[in-house]
Amino acid sequence: PAPPWSILAITFTNKAASEMKERIRAMAPESADDIWASTFHSMCARILRRDIERLGYRRDFTIYVADDSERLVKSCAKELNIDSNLPPQALTRIISRAKDNLLMPEEFAAASGGDLRMRTAARVYRLYQEKLRAANALDFDDLILQTVRLLRSSAETLDYYRRRFRYILVDEYQDTNIAQYKLVSLLAGSEGRLCVVGDDDQSIYRFRGATIENILRFEEQFPGARVIRLEQNY
């Protein structure tokens, strides 16, 4: 049997994560606390609390919720004299999508080309990120973005978590975005035992950047994968 501490189970909502933990505790009460069973964001926050200093932040970073982020974006737009044609809500969505695609401000600006709206958003994104760093804060999207950056830039950190998590389960895989796919790929590596569960007909987060190709191309992205079809509804 797999050692409990070597298992990582990831899902999307706190409710689903709680249900997973309850089932684990019912099956293996003595080992339940050794298994990481959480949402993507909770898992990333836990990793960052340990190693974020490698990215120049302090471990006691603050996590901004949606309202905090929107207020800061609004402040940045005001400081840059951005007119009302691009309201804070729209700017916040654009910045969030950029982070879902693993684009830092400089990369997002370079990808904006001649699109005036995107170039304006890039200016706000750059200032917004500077203010987050100055406050030693991360927004919700940063939790995954910065974890990917950490694993990419620190071979020691990546090796530690690859050795720790020998068995990885991802629920609702059809709702993962680019950043979440990259995170899972980094942790699993070429030898990790990765199991994903999903249904390409049930993607509910496409409007929020979910990439349906992640599940459609799973066998291509992870050669040798075994597909088990659940064709009866229980």
Side-chain angles (χ1 to χ4, degrees):
W5 51 264
S6 69
I7 299 172
L8 170 65
I10 316 171
T11 189
F12 276 82
T13 66
N14 289 323
K15 180 181 179 182
S18 296
E19 288 178 359
M20 280 200 302
K21 289 176 183 177
E22 288 172 9
R23 292 182 185 185
I24 292 168
R25 190 160 279 112
M27 291 191 308
E30 295 179 358
S31 304
D33 292 335
D34 294 330
I35 296 173
W36 280 33
S38 66
T39 63
F40 274 99
H41 295 93
S42 295
M43 175 198 71
C44 288
R46 192 168 174 181
I47 290 173
L48 292 172
R49 291 291 182 197
R50 179 181 183 272
D51 282 319
I52 198 170
E53 290 175 342
R54 296 177 185 271
L55 296 177
Y57 291 82
R58 299 191 311 275
R59 291 183 183 182
D60 62 343
F61 60 85
T62 301
I63 300 174
Y64 280 17
V65 296
D67 288 345
D68 299 323
S69 297
E70 192 169 310
R71 277 194 293 270
L72 183 55
V73 166
K74 184 176 182 179
S75 172
C76 292
K78 183 177 181 181
E79 186 174 329
L80 294 170
N81 296 314
I82 303 298
D83 60 39
S84 58
N85 291 329
L86 204 54
Q89 297 92 331
L91 287 166
T92 302
R93 284 195 298 271
I94 292 170
I95 292 171
S96 177
R97 185 62 59 86
K99 292 185 177 185
D100 285 347
N101 289 316
L102 298 175
L103 296 175
M104 293 296 287
E106 300 76 16
E107 297 163 325
F108 180 70
S112 300
D115 188 323
L116 180 59
R117 192 166 180 265
M118 292 298 105
R119 281 164 48 197
T120 300
R123 291 172 56 210
V124 176
Y125 182 15
R126 182 181 292 110
L127 181 59
Y128 170 77
Q129 207 63 18
E130 289 172 357
K131 288 184 178 293
L132 280 176
R133 181 176 279 272
N136 193 45
L138 304 179
D139 65 19
F140 216 51
D141 299 302
D142 269 329
L143 292 173
I144 297 177
L145 169 63
Q146 299 295 352
T147 301
V148 171
R149 290 186 66 227
L150 172 65
L151 296 176
R152 279 174 163 174
S153 62
S154 171
E156 182 181 345
T157 303
L158 179 59
D159 181 63
Y160 172 83
Y161 285 105
R162 279 185 176 173
R163 285 187 289 107
R164 163 110 196 209
F165 300 131
R166 302 296 298 169
Y167 303 88
I168 302 174
L169 166 69
V170 185
D171 194 19
E172 304 293 356
Y173 192 71
Q174 76 277 354
D175 290 325
T176 54
N177 58 32
I178 290 174
Q180 290 160 339
Y181 158 71
K182 192 61 185 178
L183 175 64
V184 170
S185 300
L186 284 166
L187 289 172
S190 60
E191 298 180 3
R193 295 169 177 85
L194 173 64
C195 173
V196 306
V197 181
D199 181 350
D200 55 347
D201 288 333
Q202 294 186 20
S203 180
I204 61 173
Y205 289 131
R206 296 187 196 191
F207 72 97
R208 248 173 35 187
T211 307
I212 195 68
E213 287 76 19
N214 287 348
I215 193 167
L216 296 177
R217 296 176 55 208
F218 187 84
E219 293 171 84
E220 176 186 336
Q221 293 164 340
F222 298 95
R226 178 185 175 195
V227 177
I228 301 172
R229 301 190 183 280
L230 305 178
E231 297 179 338
Q232 181 174 342
N233 187 345
Y234 292 92

